[in-house]
PDB file of all heavy atoms in Angstrom:
ATOM      1  N   GLY A   4     182.316-161.842  54.668  1.00 58.00           N
ATOM      2  CA  GLY A   4     181.330-161.510  55.749  1.00 58.00           C
ATOM      3  C   GLY A   4     181.933-161.011  56.921  1.00 58.00           C
ATOM      4  O   GLY A   4     181.158-160.787  58.013  1.00 58.00           O
ATOM      5  N   GLY A   5     183.180-160.592  56.951  1.00 75.00           N
ATOM      6  CA  GLY A   5     183.762-160.032  58.130  1.00 75.00           C
ATOM      7  C   GLY A   5     183.287-158.628  58.404  1.00 75.00           C
ATOM      8  O   GLY A   5     182.837-157.931  57.468  1.00 75.00           O
ATOM      9  N   GLN A   6     183.389-158.075  59.568  1.00 87.00           N
ATOM     10  CA  GLN A   6     182.931-156.727  59.766  1.00 87.00           C
ATOM     11  C   GLN A   6     184.089-155.920  60.467  1.00 87.00           C
ATOM     12  O   GLN A   6     184.969-156.387  61.023  1.00 87.00           O
ATOM     13  CB  GLN A   6     181.803-156.716  60.932  1.00 87.00           C
ATOM     14  CG  GLN A   6     180.581-157.513  60.535  1.00 87.00           C
ATOM     15  CD  GLN A   6     179.795-156.793  59.505  1.00 87.00           C
ATOM     16  OE1 GLN A   6     179.878-155.572  59.321  1.00 87.00           O
ATOM     17  NE2 GLN A   6     179.041-157.581  58.717  1.00 87.00           N
ATOM     18  N   GLY A   7     184.057-154.629  60.165  1.00 92.00           N
ATOM     19  CA  GLY A   7     184.993-153.673  60.866  1.00 92.00           C
ATOM     20  C   GLY A   7     184.671-153.427  62.255  1.00 92.00           C
ATOM     21  O   GLY A   7     183.394-153.132  62.489  1.00 92.00           O
ATOM     22  N   LEU A   8     185.542-153.673  63.229  1.00 95.00           N
ATOM     23  CA  LEU A   8     185.198-153.501  64.552  1.00 95.00           C
ATOM     24  C   LEU A   8     186.059-152.417  65.321  1.00 95.00           C
ATOM     25  O   LEU A   8     187.269-152.261  64.977  1.00 95.00           O
ATOM     26  CB  LEU A   8     185.395-154.819  65.322  1.00 95.00           C
ATOM     27  CG  LEU A   8     184.697-156.057  64.899  1.00 95.00           C
ATOM     28  CD1 LEU A   8     185.094-157.264  65.750  1.00 95.00           C
ATOM     29  CD2 LEU A   8     183.269-155.779  64.912  1.00 95.00           C
ATOM     30  N   ALA A   9     185.420-151.510  66.102  1.00 95.00           N
ATOM     31  CA  ALA A   9     186.104-150.476  66.872  1.00 95.00           C
ATOM     32  C   ALA A   9     186.051-150.868  68.307  1.00 95.00           C
ATOM     33  O   ALA A   9     184.927-151.365  68.802  1.00 95.00           O
ATOM     34  CB  ALA A   9     185.513-149.074  66.546  1.00 95.00           C
ATOM     35  N   ARG A  10     187.010-150.548  69.208  1.00 96.00           N
ATOM     36  CA  ARG A  10     186.949-150.873  70.563  1.00 96.00           C
ATOM     37  C   ARG A  10     186.049-149.816  71.253  1.00 96.00           C
ATOM     38  O   ARG A  10     186.024-148.624  71.059  1.00 96.00           O
ATOM     39  CB  ARG A  10     188.324-150.634  71.224  1.00 96.00           C
ATOM     40  CG  ARG A  10     189.276-151.777  71.017  1.00 96.00           C
ATOM     41  CD  ARG A  10     188.881-152.955  71.908  1.00 96.00           C
ATOM     42  NE  ARG A  10     189.008-152.651  73.337  1.00 96.00           N
ATOM     43  CZ  ARG A  10     190.009-152.389  74.151  1.00 96.00           C
ATOM     44  NH1 ARG A  10     191.253-152.404  73.503  1.00 96.00           N
ATOM     45  NH2 ARG A  10     189.935-152.021  75.329  1.00 96.00           N
ATOM     46  N   VAL A  11     185.166-150.386  72.008  1.00 96.00           N
ATOM     47  CA  VAL A  11     184.155-149.614  72.838  1.00 96.00           C
ATOM     48  C   VAL A  11     184.890-148.614  73.641  1.00 96.00           C
ATOM     49  O   VAL A  11     184.418-147.343  73.660  1.00 96.00           O
ATOM     50  CB  VAL A  11     183.212-150.598  73.547  1.00 96.00           C
ATOM     51  CG1 VAL A  11     182.280-149.776  74.447  1.00 96.00           C
ATOM     52  CG2 VAL A  11     182.434-151.489  72.642  1.00 96.00           C
ATOM     53  N   ALA A  12     185.839-149.084  74.503  1.00 96.00           N
ATOM     54  CA  ALA A  12     186.466-148.134  75.376  1.00 96.00           C
ATOM     55  C   ALA A  12     187.219-147.051  74.795  1.00 96.00           C
ATOM     56  O   ALA A  12     187.315-145.892  75.266  1.00 96.00           O
ATOM     57  CB  ALA A  12     187.420-148.979  76.272  1.00 96.00           C
ATOM     58  N   VAL A  13     187.720-147.220  73.540  1.00 96.00           N
ATOM     59  CA  VAL A  13     188.455-146.264  72.666  1.00 96.00           C
ATOM     60  C   VAL A  13     187.540-145.222  72.294  1.00 96.00           C
ATOM     61  O   VAL A  13     187.747-143.970  72.393  1.00 96.00           O
ATOM     62  CB  VAL A  13     189.132-146.893  71.576  1.00 96.00           C
ATOM     63  CG1 VAL A  13     189.822-145.760  70.725  1.00 96.00           C
ATOM     64  CG2 VAL A  13     190.324-147.836  72.062  1.00 96.00           C
ATOM     65  N   VAL A  14     186.270-145.680  71.779  1.00 96.00           N
ATOM     66  CA  VAL A  14     185.275-144.618  71.370  1.00 96.00           C
ATOM     67  C   VAL A  14     184.905-143.714  72.536  1.00 96.00           C
ATOM     68  O   VAL A  14     184.819-142.508  72.315  1.00 96.00           O
ATOM     69  CB  VAL A  14     184.112-145.408  70.752  1.00 96.00           C
ATOM     70  CG1 VAL A  14     182.982-144.484  70.500  1.00 96.00           C
ATOM     71  CG2 VAL A  14     184.417-146.229  69.522  1.00 96.00           C
ATOM     72  N   VAL A  15     184.560-144.325  73.672  1.00 96.00           N
ATOM     73  CA  VAL A  15     184.296-143.636  74.855  1.00 96.00           C
ATOM     74  C   VAL A  15     185.359-142.647  75.328  1.00 96.00           C
ATOM     75  O   VAL A  15     185.134-141.429  75.646  1.00 96.00           O
ATOM     76  CB  VAL A  15     183.897-144.601  76.055  1.00 96.00           C
ATOM     77  CG1 VAL A  15     183.716-143.747  77.415  1.00 96.00           C
ATOM     78  CG2 VAL A  15     182.570-145.358  75.714  1.00 96.00           C
ATOM     79  N   ARG A  16     186.587-143.084  75.230  1.00 96.00           N
ATOM     80  CA  ARG A  16     187.716-142.364  75.801  1.00 96.00           C
ATOM     81  C   ARG A  16     188.167-141.215  74.784  1.00 96.00           C
ATOM     82  O   ARG A  16     188.809-140.227  75.088  1.00 96.00           O
ATOM     83  CB  ARG A  16     188.961-143.202  76.019  1.00 96.00           C
ATOM     84  CG  ARG A  16     190.151-142.628  76.598  1.00 96.00           C
ATOM     85  CD  ARG A  16     191.260-143.582  76.597  1.00 96.00           C
ATOM     86  NE  ARG A  16     191.222-144.460  77.747  1.00 96.00           N
ATOM     87  CZ  ARG A  16     191.627-144.264  78.965  1.00 96.00           C
ATOM     88  NH1 ARG A  16     192.232-143.112  79.212  1.00 96.00           N
ATOM     89  NH2 ARG A  16     191.450-145.153  80.027  1.00 96.00           N
ATOM     90  N   ALA A  17     187.853-141.329  73.591  1.00 96.00           N
ATOM     91  CA  ALA A  17     188.265-140.405  72.503  1.00 96.00           C
ATOM     92  C   ALA A  17     187.907-138.924  72.846  1.00 96.00           C
ATOM     93  O   ALA A  17     188.770-138.152  72.414  1.00 96.00           O
ATOM     94  CB  ALA A  17     187.661-140.896  71.206  1.00 96.00           C
ATOM     95  N   GLY A  18     186.868-138.641  73.580  1.00 94.00           N
ATOM     96  CA  GLY A  18     186.515-137.241  73.810  1.00 94.00           C
ATOM     97  C   GLY A  18     187.077-136.782  75.184  1.00 94.00           C
ATOM     98  O   GLY A  18     186.972-135.512  75.358  1.00 94.00           O
ATOM     99  N   ALA A  19     187.682-137.665  75.909  1.00 96.00           N
ATOM    100  CA  ALA A  19     188.128-137.248  77.178  1.00 96.00           C
ATOM    101  C   ALA A  19     189.164-136.164  77.216  1.00 96.00           C
ATOM    102  O   ALA A  19     189.123-135.126  77.867  1.00 96.00           O
ATOM    103  CB  ALA A  19     188.592-138.424  78.067  1.00 96.00           C
ATOM    104  N   ALA A  20     190.212-136.389  76.436  1.00 95.00           N
ATOM    105  CA  ALA A  20     191.391-135.428  76.428  1.00 95.00           C
ATOM    106  C   ALA A  20     190.997-134.081  75.798  1.00 95.00           C
ATOM    107  O   ALA A  20     191.262-133.073  76.319  1.00 95.00           O
ATOM    108  CB  ALA A  20     192.583-136.098  75.656  1.00 95.00           C
ATOM    109  N   PRO A  21     190.348-134.110  74.511  1.00 96.00           N
ATOM    110  CA  PRO A  21     190.021-132.743  74.052  1.00 96.00           C
ATOM    111  C   PRO A  21     189.127-131.973  74.954  1.00 96.00           C
ATOM    112  O   PRO A  21     189.205-130.783  75.185  1.00 96.00           O
ATOM    113  CB  PRO A  21     189.428-133.039  72.720  1.00 96.00           C
ATOM    114  CG  PRO A  21     189.127-134.401  72.664  1.00 96.00           C
ATOM    115  CD  PRO A  21     189.901-135.150  73.623  1.00 96.00           C
ATOM    116  N   MET A  22     188.017-132.605  75.506  1.00 97.00           N
ATOM    117  CA  MET A  22     187.179-131.907  76.377  1.00 97.00           C
ATOM    118  C   MET A  22     187.888-131.415  77.650  1.00 97.00           C
ATOM    119  O   MET A  22     187.616-130.384  78.141  1.00 97.00           O
ATOM    120  CB  MET A  22     185.934-132.781  76.759  1.00 97.00           C
ATOM    121  CG  MET A  22     185.041-133.004  75.521  1.00 97.00           C
ATOM    122  SD  MET A  22     183.804-134.372  75.831  1.00 97.00           S
ATOM    123  CE  MET A  22     182.514-133.402  76.777  1.00 97.00           C
ATOM    124  N   GLY A  23     188.651-132.330  78.179  1.00 96.00           N
ATOM    125  CA  GLY A  23     189.384-131.874  79.364  1.00 96.00           C
ATOM    126  C   GLY A  23     190.356-130.699  79.168  1.00 96.00           C
ATOM    127  O   GLY A  23     190.273-129.793  79.990  1.00 96.00           O
ATOM    128  N   TRP A  24     191.168-130.784  78.045  1.00 96.00           N
ATOM    129  CA  TRP A  24     192.072-129.605  77.741  1.00 96.00           C
ATOM    130  C   TRP A  24     191.276-128.424  77.473  1.00 96.00           C
ATOM    131  O   TRP A  24     191.656-127.251  77.847  1.00 96.00           O
ATOM    132  CB  TRP A  24     192.959-130.064  76.620  1.00 96.00           C
ATOM    133  CG  TRP A  24     194.185-130.916  77.140  1.00 96.00           C
ATOM    134  CD1 TRP A  24     194.305-132.242  76.922  1.00 96.00           C
ATOM    135  CD2 TRP A  24     195.188-130.501  78.045  1.00 96.00           C
ATOM    136  NE1 TRP A  24     195.440-132.791  77.628  1.00 96.00           N
ATOM    137  CE2 TRP A  24     195.956-131.633  78.295  1.00 96.00           C
ATOM    138  CE3 TRP A  24     195.468-129.383  78.673  1.00 96.00           C
ATOM    139  CZ2 TRP A  24     197.114-131.679  79.129  1.00 96.00           C
ATOM    140  CZ3 TRP A  24     196.645-129.318  79.543  1.00 96.00           C
ATOM    141  CH2 TRP A  24     197.328-130.418  79.812  1.00 96.00           C
ATOM    142  N   PHE A  25     190.252-128.481  76.534  1.00 96.00           N
ATOM    143  CA  PHE A  25     189.514-127.236  76.271  1.00 96.00           C
ATOM    144  C   PHE A  25     188.798-126.736  77.419  1.00 96.00           C
ATOM    145  O   PHE A  25     188.801-125.464  77.674  1.00 96.00           O
ATOM    146  CB  PHE A  25     188.450-127.673  75.263  1.00 96.00           C
ATOM    147  CG  PHE A  25     188.881-127.657  73.840  1.00 96.00           C
ATOM    148  CD1 PHE A  25     188.236-128.414  72.892  1.00 96.00           C
ATOM    149  CD2 PHE A  25     189.918-126.942  73.349  1.00 96.00           C
ATOM    150  CE1 PHE A  25     188.579-128.400  71.555  1.00 96.00           C
ATOM    151  CE2 PHE A  25     190.401-127.010  72.059  1.00 96.00           C
ATOM    152  CZ  PHE A  25     189.739-127.685  71.178  1.00 96.00           C
ATOM    153  N   GLY A  26     188.360-127.529  78.406  1.00 96.00           N
ATOM    154  CA  GLY A  26     187.839-127.167  79.607  1.00 96.00           C
ATOM    155  C   GLY A  26     188.812-126.362  80.495  1.00 96.00           C
ATOM    156  O   GLY A  26     188.488-125.355  81.052  1.00 96.00           O
ATOM    157  N   VAL A  27     189.992-126.911  80.634  1.00 96.00           N
ATOM    158  CA  VAL A  27     191.010-126.326  81.469  1.00 96.00           C
ATOM    159  C   VAL A  27     191.352-124.932  80.913  1.00 96.00           C
ATOM    160  O   VAL A  27     191.508-124.008  81.605  1.00 96.00           O
ATOM    161  CB  VAL A  27     192.292-127.273  81.560  1.00 96.00           C
ATOM    162  CG1 VAL A  27     193.456-126.480  82.226  1.00 96.00           C
ATOM    163  CG2 VAL A  27     191.982-128.462  82.565  1.00 96.00           C
ATOM    164  N   ILE A  28     191.748-124.897  79.550  1.00 96.00           N
ATOM    165  CA  ILE A  28     191.900-123.597  78.941  1.00 96.00           C
ATOM    166  C   ILE A  28     190.851-122.592  79.119  1.00 96.00           C
ATOM    167  O   ILE A  28     191.058-121.414  79.470  1.00 96.00           O
ATOM    168  CB  ILE A  28     192.243-123.873  77.394  1.00 96.00           C
ATOM    169  CG1 ILE A  28     193.601-124.626  77.310  1.00 96.00           C
ATOM    170  CG2 ILE A  28     192.416-122.577  76.767  1.00 96.00           C
ATOM    171  CD1 ILE A  28     193.819-125.129  76.015  1.00 96.00           C
ATOM    172  N   ALA A  29     189.648-123.076  78.974  1.00 95.00           N
ATOM    173  CA  ALA A  29     188.425-122.139  79.046  1.00 95.00           C
ATOM    174  C   ALA A  29     188.271-121.672  80.406  1.00 95.00           C
ATOM    175  O   ALA A  29     187.940-120.504  80.652  1.00 95.00           O
ATOM    176  CB  ALA A  29     187.191-122.949  78.597  1.00 95.00           C
ATOM    177  N   ALA A  30     188.554-122.581  81.435  1.00 94.00           N
ATOM    178  CA  ALA A  30     188.443-122.174  82.825  1.00 94.00           C
ATOM    179  C   ALA A  30     189.551-121.231  83.186  1.00 94.00           C
ATOM    180  O   ALA A  30     189.312-120.168  83.828  1.00 94.00           O
ATOM    181  CB  ALA A  30     188.615-123.417  83.655  1.00 94.00           C
TER     182      ALA A  30
END
Side-chain angles (χ1 to χ4, degrees):
Q6 301 290 336
L8 303 178
R10 277 288 301 287
V11 173
V13 173
V14 176
V15 171
R16 182 185 285 271
M22 289 173 83
W24 281 111
F25 278 155
V27 167
I28 293 167

